[in-house]
Amino acid sequence: MKQPRVYQLIVALTLAAAIILTEGQVKAATNNQNTVAATDSSSLTTAPQQNGSSATASLTSSSSNPIHVYSAATKDVATAQAQTNQAKQAVQQAANQLTSAETIKNNAQTKLNDLKNQQVNLIDGSQITLTSKQKNEITNDWSVLNEGPASGTSFVDNQTNDKNTVIDTNNLTQAQAANLSAYAASLINNLRGQLNYSALNNQQTATSDYLNTSLIVTSGAINFAKQVAANYNSDHWNGYAKGNHDVPAIQKAAAINGLDQGGNYYEDMESFSNSFTTKMTVYAAKQYLYNAIYDMLFNDASESYAHAHSLLGLDITAAEGISAEYFAVSFDQYGNIHLELIKPDYVIDQTKFTANFDTTPLTTNQSQISIAQNALDVANKNYANALTKYNSAKQQLEDAQNALTTAQSKHNKNGQYYEDGHWYLYQNNVKQTGFQYIANQHKTVYYNNNGQMLYGQQHLNGHWYLFDTVTGSMKTGFQYIANQHKTVYYNNNGQMLYGQQYLNGHWYLFDTVIGSMKTGFQYIANQHKTVYYNNNGQMLYGQQYLNGHWYLFDTVIGSMKTGFQYIANQHKTVYYNNNGQMLYGQQYLNGHWYLFDTVTGSMKTGFQYIANQHKTVYYNNNGQMLYGFQKIKGKTYRFNTQTGARI
């Protein structure tokens, strides 16, 4: 309703002081927020120019820019401003909750990945790789297994002591049984993890889906497997000759442990030979297990792929309500290798099972993987909920900002205004452009040629900058660009840095084109050196244990060392190959034989006995093997001119 001019004057006089106070309150409320609308502009200054000069244009209240005395419509502005401030707070709270949920989700994913990487390490380099068809179509056509595995499948044992450690597989200690069971469980769990369960479940008509269940090695499972092997021995059961399982032997073990005795519900078995010997190295035992798993996967057509069903966990569906099976292996004296998989839903006498079957996991982390997967599922759900709330809060903020803009449109423009979905900065109704420092919000922002505030990554005047996607504030320091999966660094002027940079006491390396922070081994061409940056991007120095190998980096420039190196604080000489990795054992280098300690890598000198070659040799003070007649400490010795063996 239009009021008489006299009434307007009375209102103006009576509200002037209150309006001035309200204006100050609005500015205080919007500190550290993204809006200042129709307020005193003394806090707005031009940001320092990129060439280093400081051009400051203070907008101060003066006779040319008096404090405004608004009409009654000022109440609408104040109300809209308050609602906008509340909406901003809601957005900030939702953003904080979203960030927290994302951090929890990322940490859960990292933990799960770390546990799975630990699981892979248990197989000591061995790998059985399924083909694409086998991963995606096996339940539709099991004959795809007849094609054999994908490339990269091989038996490897990286444990150097395994070839020298002899065990009796018919009388395994608990530790030996746990070690071999963990090896086999990790091979099988790795195979199960390769399956594309989404594709397999889409192919089946059953109402219950397949699950990625895991094998967990426990003391109870080990004792069960040993009981089965002992029963085979008592029954003189040669599976190679008989061609099938000793079911009564399995049923006896099941009865002791309170498990269902209706048949062989537990065992996958491979029988190798009538002339099987139980004494072998750990290396040989692992190879037997590897070959058994391989054979029961890819040579199982005659058994209708029953072993493959069991090993791949495709005999279990979600309806059974289990996520893991207890597992262990055993060997008997007749060449039978037993893989025992005990499902929790086969317990029929809980009292006897609890008393005799210890379900505590012995090996690293399969139960932890299941827990970590559940935690990740919860974290993903919480993140989705937080994202929904954040988007809702953003929409409410946009509505409030539009209402504020409508209310502000009636007044002379100085300060920040939200119009048509963009933020603008006005000085005496003129839109400002370029870098601007908003003093009362402690941030530098950028307005394009149309006066609109920019967000996210921007290429300006030959440099890349990053502006907050909500507040528009210019970012500095380390920043992670999620959609490009890279960490970059912006200097104090907000400009992205490239190449080598010395920051906060550390050297970093950033890609010279995209600015992404480098990690791992990197070759610095113009300095002719290889260096290493850790996961935080910081250059490492001195001795470092990386990916299962020892390396040495210069303590000043970080360059990777190769060749003979003396480690003063350990009083030893070692040798690093061309890849920078410390070598061990006998090595033929530059026309000479050397011997390095198999644990510490220290170069040996003097008389040394080479056990696996049954010879004593002599290494001089330079570590080189000597040949022929040699005078050592006043005595003459003779060494074979070819092998160096003392004669």
Side-chain angles (χ1 to χ4, degrees):
M1 175 179 177
K2 186 173 182 181
Q3 301 294 339
R5 181 177 180 83
V6 173
Y7 178 80
Q8 291 184 5
L9 180 58
I10 292 172
V11 171
L13 292 173
T14 57
L15 294 179
I19 291 172
I20 294 171
L21 177 60
T22 300
E23 186 177 28
Q25 291 172 332
V26 168
K27 289 192 291 182
T30 57
N31 191 33
N32 293 324
Q33 298 296 322
N34 198 36
T35 63
V36 177
T39 63
D40 181 85
S41 56
S42 60
S43 63
L44 307 178
T45 61
T46 303
Q49 302 301 304
Q50 297 306 299
N51 59 10
S53 64
S54 178
T56 304
S58 297
L59 311 178
T60 60
S61 299
S62 65
S63 58
S64 62
N65 186 27
I67 296 175
H68 301 291
V69 179
Y70 300 127
S71 68
T74 302
K75 293 183 179 180
D76 296 334
V77 174
T79 300
Q81 182 68 69
Q83 292 172 343
T84 300
N85 292 341
Q86 291 174 359
K88 286 178 186 176
Q89 292 173 0
V91 168
Q92 188 60 56
Q93 183 179 9
N96 292 340
Q97 292 172 349
L98 181 62
T99 299
S100 177
E102 184 175 22
T103 299
I104 293 172
K105 175 175 71 74
N106 291 340
N107 290 342
Q109 184 67 67
T110 299
K111 183 174 182 179
L112 179 61
N113 292 342
D114 289 344
L115 289 170
K116 288 185 176 180
N117 288 336
Q118 292 172 21
Q119 180 189 84
V120 171
N121 291 337
L122 287 174
I123 59 180
D124 299 330
S126 293
Q127 184 65 42
I128 301 177
T129 305
L130 300 176
T131 66
S132 178
K133 277 188 177 181
Q134 291 161 357
K135 295 175 183 178
N136 293 283
E137 304 174 16
I138 188 169
T139 55
N140 193 43
D141 180 11
W142 283 88
S143 67
V144 295
L145 287 171
N146 299 340
E147 301 171 4
S151 61
T153 296
S154 64
F155 171 76
V156 178
D157 186 357
N158 292 326
Q159 298 297 321
T160 55
N161 291 333
D162 283 356
K163 289 186 177 181
N164 302 318
T165 304
V166 177
I167 59 176
D168 183 353
T169 56
N170 190 42
N171 293 285
L172 293 172
T173 67
Q174 198 77 353
Q176 291 167 347
N179 178 34
L180 294 176
S181 297
Y183 171 77
S186 296
L187 271 176
I188 297 169
N189 285 331
N190 180 271
L191 281 162
R192 293 183 177 188
Q194 294 177 42
L195 295 174
N196 183 346
Y197 289 92
S198 176
L200 299 180
N201 288 327
N202 287 336
Q203 295 168 19
Q204 70 160 345
T205 57
T207 57
S208 189
D209 289 341
Y210 296 115
L211 295 175
N212 183 2
T213 54
S214 304
L215 300 183
I216 301 174
V217 178
T218 71
S219 294
I222 290 174
N223 291 335
F224 180 89
K226 286 185 175 182
Q227 290 162 1
V228 170
N231 293 340
Y232 268 70
N233 288 337
S234 297
D235 295 345
H236 308 289
W237 194 275
N238 187 321
Y240 187 81
K242 294 180 180 291
N244 54 15
H245 297 266
D246 183 357
V247 176
I250 300 168
Q251 291 172 319
K252 289 177 185 177
I256 293 172
N257 292 279
L259 296 168
D260 194 330
Q261 303 133 52
N264 174 26
Y265 303 139
Y266 312 101
E267 180 174 271
D268 291 319
M269 183 182 75
E270 184 81 0
S271 301
F272 279 98
S273 171
N274 284 314
S275 58
F276 183 81
T277 176
T278 63
K279 289 189 177 181
M280 64 183 74
T281 64
V282 174
Y283 178 94
K286 286 183 177 180
Q287 192 166 30
Y288 268 116
L289 288 169
Y290 179 94
N291 290 339
I293 294 169
Y294 182 104
D295 192 49
M296 285 189 280
L297 280 176
F298 302 112
N299 298 299
D300 203 37
S302 62
E303 300 293 331
S304 299
Y305 308 102
H307 296 106
H309 273 80
S310 172
L311 293 178
L312 294 176
L314 294 174
D315 58 344
I316 303 172
T317 64
E320 294 184 57
I322 62 174
S323 60
E325 301 171 88
Y326 307 122
F327 176 80
V329 303
S330 61
F331 296 67
D332 61 39
Q333 68 188 50
Y334 292 100
N336 305 308
I337 297 179
H338 308 272
L339 280 67
E340 306 296 341
L341 298 83
I342 304 100
K343 297 179 176 65
D345 56 353
Y346 282 162
V347 176
I348 59 173
D349 186 335
Q350 188 63 52
T351 300
K352 187 180 291 186
F353 180 78
T354 301
N356 297 320
F357 198 105
D358 187 349
T359 60
T360 304
L362 288 182
T363 56
T364 57
N365 59 6
Q366 199 50 52
S367 63
Q368 295 172 353
I369 287 178
S370 298
I371 295 171
Q373 182 64 62
N374 291 336
L376 178 60
D377 293 342
V378 172
N380 282 329
K381 182 177 180 180
N382 291 340
Y383 174 78
N385 291 337
L387 182 60
T388 299
K389 292 180 180 179
Y390 174 70
N391 290 333
S392 176
K394 282 180 64 179
Q395 183 59 53
Q396 293 177 27
L397 174 59
E398 183 176 349
D399 294 343
Q401 288 170 333
N402 289 334
L404 176 60
T405 299
T406 300
Q408 290 171 335
S409 63
K410 301 175 183 180
H411 302 286
N412 187 36
K413 294 181 179 179
N414 270 303
Q416 296 182 83
Y417 282 80
Y418 189 77
E419 300 171 343
D420 302 321
H422 297 281
W423 278 102
Y424 298 83
L425 178 64
Y426 286 88
Q427 181 179 349
N428 297 327
N429 287 330
V430 177
K431 293 177 180 177
Q432 304 300 295
T433 61
F435 288 96
Q436 302 290 335
Y437 179 68
I438 313 299
N440 68 340
Q441 296 178 31
H442 310 292
K443 68 180 182 181
T444 295
V445 297
Y446 188 89
Y447 299 92
N448 65 13
N449 290 338
N450 294 322
Q452 299 166 345
M453 184 184 290
L454 297 186
Y455 304 84
Q457 295 184 85
Q458 301 292 337
H459 194 256
L460 307 169
N461 306 320
H463 297 281
W464 279 101
Y465 297 80
L466 180 65
F467 300 92
D468 191 278
T469 56
V470 175
T471 68
S473 61
M474 184 182 76
K475 300 285 192 179
T476 60
F478 289 98
Q479 301 293 333
Y480 179 67
I481 312 297
N483 64 342
Q484 298 180 26
H485 309 293
K486 68 179 182 181
T487 296
V488 297
Y489 187 90
Y490 300 91
N491 65 15
N492 290 338
N493 291 325
Q495 300 167 348
M496 184 184 290
L497 298 186
Y498 304 83
Q500 294 185 84
Q501 300 290 339
Y502 190 74
L503 307 169
N504 305 320
H506 297 280
W507 279 102
Y508 297 80
L509 180 65
F510 301 91
D511 191 279
T512 56
V513 177
I514 63 173
S516 59
M517 185 182 75
K518 300 286 191 178
T519 60
F521 288 98
Q522 301 292 334
Y523 180 68
I524 312 299
N526 63 343
Q527 297 180 26
H528 309 294
K529 68 179 182 181
T530 296
V531 297
Y532 187 90
Y533 300 91
N534 65 15
N535 290 340
N536 293 324
Q538 300 167 348
M539 184 184 291
L540 298 186
Y541 305 84
Q543 295 185 82
Q544 300 292 337
Y545 190 74
L546 308 169
N547 305 320
H549 297 281
W550 280 102
Y551 297 79
L552 180 65
F553 301 91
D554 190 277
T555 55
V556 176
I557 63 173
S559 60
M560 185 182 75
K561 301 287 191 177
T562 59
F564 289 97
Q565 302 291 335
Y566 180 68
I567 312 298
N569 64 342
Q570 297 180 25
H571 310 295
K572 68 179 182 181
T573 296
V574 297
Y575 187 89
Y576 300 91
N577 65 14
N578 290 339
N579 293 325
Q581 300 168 346
M582 183 184 290
L583 298 186
Y584 304 84
Q586 295 185 82
Q587 300 291 337
Y588 190 75
L589 307 169
N590 305 321
H592 297 281
W593 279 100
Y594 297 79
L595 180 64
F596 301 91
D597 190 276
T598 57
V599 177
T600 66
S602 61
M603 185 182 74
K604 301 287 190 178
T605 60
F607 287 98
Q608 301 292 334
Y609 179 66
I610 312 299
N612 63 343
Q613 298 179 24
H614 309 295
K615 67 179 182 181
T616 297
V617 297
Y618 187 88
Y619 300 91
N620 65 15
N621 290 339
N622 292 325
Q624 300 168 348
M625 183 185 289
L626 298 186
Y627 305 84
F629 288 95
Q630 300 290 337
K631 196 165 190 177
I632 301 170
K633 295 182 180 180
K635 294 183 178 180
T636 300
Y637 296 83
R638 183 183 176 190
F639 301 90
N640 188 288
T641 58
Q642 298 295 320
T643 66
R646 189 175 71 181
I647 299 173

